[in-house]
Amino acid sequence: MDLNEKTYCILIHGFTKENRIDKALVLFDWMKGLGFDRDVPLFMEGDLVAASWLLQDGNKLSIGPFVSLYNAVLEGLVNGGKVNEAYLLLQEMIASNNLSDEEIAGCASDNEEVEYITNLFKFEKAVIPNSDSYSIVIDGLCKYQELDKALELLHDMAANGCIGNLLLYNNLIHEMCNADRLQESFKLMKAMRGLGLEPNHFTYNSIFGCLCRKEKVSDVLDLMREMLHHGHTPWIKHDTILLKRLCTRGNAMEACQFLSDLEEVGFLPNVIAYSAAIDGLCRIEELDHALKLFHDVHAHGYAPDVVAHNVLIHGFCKEELMRPKA
């Protein structure tokens, strides 16, 4: 009975977990001889020793395949949760590009972490990182909220003539918005356009969501106009959050004006948004206005849901108006 690829992978993972890198590498080479697709990132599972063995074996490769091997190591480190190590390794790759082979062999660092990475991976020649190298590490840094390091790498990436793709910028903008770093998100979107990358619906909605959470009503409407102009639909969940926050703070009338402005922009809110505004009006005892808005929902072709009915009924019962006029 012949072993299949899955069997080899299970054994390799087992030996790696037991720190038997020697046996894992033997099986890894057997896979190559049998023509199996060897998954370097999964094999390493973030193991630095395993990565160093692979790269030592790859020193004989030409620059293209050698960089690809380094990228697989970077991906393996990121997947294994060793993002800082991947970041340091990439920094060493960048530094090696500016040194001769003799300088690389003799270089030392005062930083213990950097020196550890340099000694472990034993740079014997320059390794020029490509766009994939940067993207792998930047995505990993975003995942672990190391946004300043991610921005630093993005700057280095451009300085070294590498261009990021739409996915890279979207991930970075999304995490920046989650961290409420709004102005930097706008700068990144502008940088995208400078590279010929057109923002898509995910780019816009990441920033749109941040503006809604910050309750920047005027900016929200401006961005919605731009989105609709470019054919992108704003995500309803974001404007609903804005409406609910306005109502919670007692600004139900401002919330109603926002609903009206949305219609003028060309975006029709859904029933949930209307229900939130109706609830806000009932809270400040604007029952006539709430009832009017309830009827407006019908006028826009929506059927108010059970939440809208319950909110309105509760509001009238609270004011002891059991039979309100329509």
Side-chain angles (χ1 to χ4, degrees):
M1 184 181 294
D2 294 329
L3 304 183
N4 62 19
E5 184 177 358
K6 183 176 182 179
T7 312
Y8 278 102
C9 288
I10 291 171
L11 288 169
I12 287 172
H13 286 310
F15 282 124
T16 303
K17 289 179 180 178
E18 295 295 326
N19 290 321
R20 292 305 306 271
I21 306 302
D22 53 339
K23 290 188 177 293
L25 286 170
V26 169
L27 288 171
F28 199 64
D29 286 334
W30 286 359
M31 289 183 70
K32 179 182 179 182
L34 293 170
F36 290 128
D37 181 20
R38 305 183 302 172
D39 192 337
V40 178
L42 287 177
F43 161 65
M44 289 190 320
E45 293 186 321
D47 192 299
L48 291 173
V49 177
S52 67
W53 275 77
L54 289 171
L55 294 181
Q56 286 178 46
D57 185 55
N59 271 309
K60 305 178 185 66
L61 296 172
S62 60
I63 188 63
F66 194 37
V67 173
S68 296
L69 185 57
Y70 262 90
N71 288 348
V73 170
L74 291 172
E75 187 176 348
L77 292 172
V78 169
N79 290 343
K82 297 184 179 293
V83 180
N84 189 54
E85 287 82 351
Y87 170 76
L88 292 174
L89 178 57
L90 179 56
Q91 292 285 24
E92 290 301 292
M93 292 168 64
I94 296 169
S96 75
N97 189 29
N98 300 318
L99 299 173
S100 65
D101 291 347
E102 292 78 13
E103 289 173 319
I104 292 170
C107 68
S109 172
D110 294 332
N111 186 307
E112 291 184 4
E113 284 187 295
V114 174
E115 186 175 3
Y116 171 69
I117 291 293
T118 304
N119 291 335
L120 184 62
F121 290 102
K122 298 178 182 178
F123 283 78
E124 296 180 11
K125 59 183 178 182
V127 186
I128 305 172
N130 57 20
S131 296
D132 289 338
S133 313
Y134 287 100
S135 296
I136 290 166
V137 180
I138 290 174
D139 286 342
L141 291 169
C142 287
K143 180 180 178 181
Y144 288 91
Q145 301 301 307
E146 295 281 357
L147 301 181
D148 290 328
K149 287 182 179 179
L151 286 175
E152 175 193 331
L153 279 184
L154 189 69
H155 177 76
D156 289 341
M157 185 178 185
N160 287 298
C162 296
I163 299 177
N165 57 23
L166 180 62
L167 179 61
L168 173 68
Y169 276 92
N170 275 352
N171 286 342
L172 192 48
I173 288 173
H174 179 68
E175 294 303 333
M176 284 288 175
C177 289
N178 284 342
D180 286 337
R181 297 171 66 165
L182 187 59
Q183 294 306 314
E184 288 164 295
S185 299
F186 275 113
K187 288 179 180 178
L188 285 170
M189 188 163 70
K190 183 178 179 181
M192 285 175 60
R193 288 198 172 101
L195 294 172
L197 299 172
E198 190 61 32
N200 64 4
H201 71 99
F202 187 85
T203 321
Y204 277 110
N205 274 297
S206 294
I207 296 176
F208 177 60
C210 187
L211 287 171
C212 288
R213 290 192 301 273
K214 286 179 169 290
E215 300 179 30
K216 294 183 175 292
V217 176
S218 177
D219 292 336
V220 165
L221 293 170
D222 288 341
L223 187 64
M224 291 184 81
R225 290 187 184 94
E226 184 178 342
M227 291 175 70
L228 294 170
H229 175 74
H230 289 285
H232 300 303
T233 303
W235 291 345
I236 291 174
K237 64 178 182 179
H238 293 318
D239 63 80
T240 303
I241 288 173
L242 173 54
L243 280 163
K244 287 182 177 179
R245 290 193 174 189
L246 290 172
C247 292
T248 300
R249 292 196 296 102
N251 294 331
M253 299 305 293
E254 185 179 354
C256 290
Q257 182 59 51
F258 178 61
L259 279 173
S260 178
D261 291 337
L262 288 179
E263 295 174 26
E264 289 184 12
V265 166
F267 179 76
L268 189 62
N270 67 356
V271 175
I272 298 174
Y274 280 107
S275 296
I278 291 169
D279 182 46
L281 290 168
C282 289
R283 287 174 184 272
I284 62 172
E285 300 179 6
E286 287 284 345
L287 299 180
D288 289 339
H289 201 147
L291 187 59
K292 180 180 182 303
L293 191 58
F294 182 85
H295 290 309
D296 286 345
V297 177
H298 281 288
H300 287 108
Y302 289 132
D305 59 8
V306 66
V307 175
H309 281 85
N310 285 344
V311 164
L312 197 58
I313 291 171
H314 177 74
F316 280 111
C317 288
K318 184 178 179 182
E319 296 301 312
E320 298 181 359
L321 298 174
M322 303 302 291
R323 296 181 180 178
K325 293 182 179 180

